[in-house]
Amino acid sequence: MLIFIDDSGDTGFKFDRGSTSHFIIAMVIFDDELEAQKTAVAIKELKREIGFGDNTEFRFFKTKDKYKIKFLKRINKFNFRVRCLVVDKSIIHSEQLQNNKNSFYSYFIKETLKNNNSTIIDAKIRLDGGGNRNFRKTFITYLRKELNSKDKKIMKNFKMVDSKRDVLIQMADMVAGSINRSCDNTKKDYKKYKKMIESKIEDEWNFK
């Protein structure tokens, strides 16, 4: 099992200064690593077809609408499943989560992985992100402690990867962005993108 995770939105709570209303975590799950490889090849082929360079990323909020549609149609041909967490930040009252970006991020990544209804077992997990070395080490230790036990092992291994070099992390970004857009009904196309991948979403958890 191979899982690629990315988020959409920000961790801020200054809504009057532009902080996003929602924070989304999306997990793209492949139960077959060969299928993941095939999907990656298809995404790279799409890049060439539309004239993207190898280092040009598919990023939902930076990609033209016509390319978003092409991307989502292309990945829809492959076998993967999506689990996501939707956080309406207006209901978060914890000072720790409001004031500490790392705590906010770590907590909700853990929650998304942990509450999986036994659908994630012994997975190789890949997450977009850098962060400083101390944070990465602390974060991975935290996840291993929270997710694995003698009776149950959710995480086999975990790596933070550079999205520029990993098109499946870019895929997770496009999925997360599509779900985030569906939370903003001020946009005319707010239902459009999520609808294209809806059949792949096995669980959408609205955090309460």
Side-chain angles (χ1 to χ4, degrees):
M1 188 177 291
L2 194 53
I3 301 177
F4 297 85
I5 303 175
D6 206 353
D7 59 81
S8 183
D10 58 57
T11 61
F13 285 82
K14 296 178 180 178
F15 302 117
D16 58 338
R17 300 184 195 176
S19 293
T20 59
S21 61
H22 290 75
F23 183 77
I24 313 297
I25 295 171
M27 300 192 297
V28 173
I29 305 167
F30 290 94
D31 295 301
D32 182 347
E33 289 196 35
L34 180 59
E35 191 72 4
Q37 292 170 18
K38 289 179 180 178
T39 309
V41 170
I43 294 171
K44 290 175 183 177
E45 287 175 344
L46 177 60
K47 278 190 176 186
R48 293 189 179 182
E49 287 173 25
I50 63 180
F52 278 15
D54 290 341
N55 292 324
T56 303
E57 293 185 66
F58 282 106
R59 287 282 187 181
F60 185 86
F61 289 102
K62 293 182 178 180
T63 300
K64 291 181 179 180
D65 290 350
K66 62 180 180 179
Y67 295 146
K68 289 175 187 172
I69 292 167
K70 284 181 180 288
F71 184 96
L72 295 173
K73 282 183 177 178
R74 186 66 58 96
I75 64 170
N76 217 23
K77 299 174 183 179
F78 297 93
N79 292 319
F80 65 91
R81 51 197 174 95
V82 173
R83 298 183 67 83
C84 64
L85 171 66
V86 177
V87 181
D88 177 351
K89 293 190 295 182
S90 67
I91 68 168
I92 303 299
H93 302 296
S94 162
E95 289 187 9
Q96 177 74 8
L97 295 179
Q98 287 186 358
N99 298 320
N100 189 309
K101 178 180 178 179
N102 288 344
S103 292
F104 180 99
Y105 189 71
S106 300
Y107 175 75
F108 285 115
I109 292 286
K110 181 263 294 182
E111 285 293 291
T112 310
L113 283 162
K114 193 169 187 176
N115 293 281
N116 66 72
N117 293 324
S118 299
T119 63
I120 300 175
I121 300 169
D122 206 24
K124 298 176 182 177
I125 299 168
R126 306 293 178 258
L127 176 72
D128 179 28
N132 62 55
R133 189 174 180 179
N134 286 337
F135 169 69
R136 290 199 303 268
K137 186 176 180 180
T138 302
F139 181 48
I140 293 170
T141 300
Y142 167 74
L143 287 182
R144 189 173 288 114
K145 181 181 177 183
E146 291 288 333
L147 300 177
N148 292 346
S149 66
K150 290 181 180 179
D151 302 322
K152 194 174 184 181
K153 188 177 181 183
I154 293 173
M155 184 173 76
K156 182 176 183 178
N157 61 50
F158 180 97
K159 290 181 183 177
M160 284 185 165
V161 297
D162 182 355
S163 60
K164 285 185 178 180
R165 299 180 182 181
D166 197 315
V167 294
L168 296 178
I169 286 290
Q170 293 172 36
M171 177 177 169
D173 176 276
M174 294 290 281
V175 169
S178 297
I179 295 165
N180 196 354
R181 177 58 63 89
S182 74
C183 297
D184 185 0
N185 61 14
T186 65
K187 304 287 186 184
K188 289 182 179 179
D189 63 354
Y190 78 104
K191 291 183 178 180
K192 182 177 182 179
Y193 304 105
K194 180 185 170 186
K195 191 173 182 179
M196 294 180 69
I197 54 168
E198 206 142 35
S199 64
K200 303 293 187 181
I201 301 174
E202 71 173 19
D203 184 67
E204 181 177 341
W205 174 26
N206 290 284
F207 185 82
K208 293 180 180 179

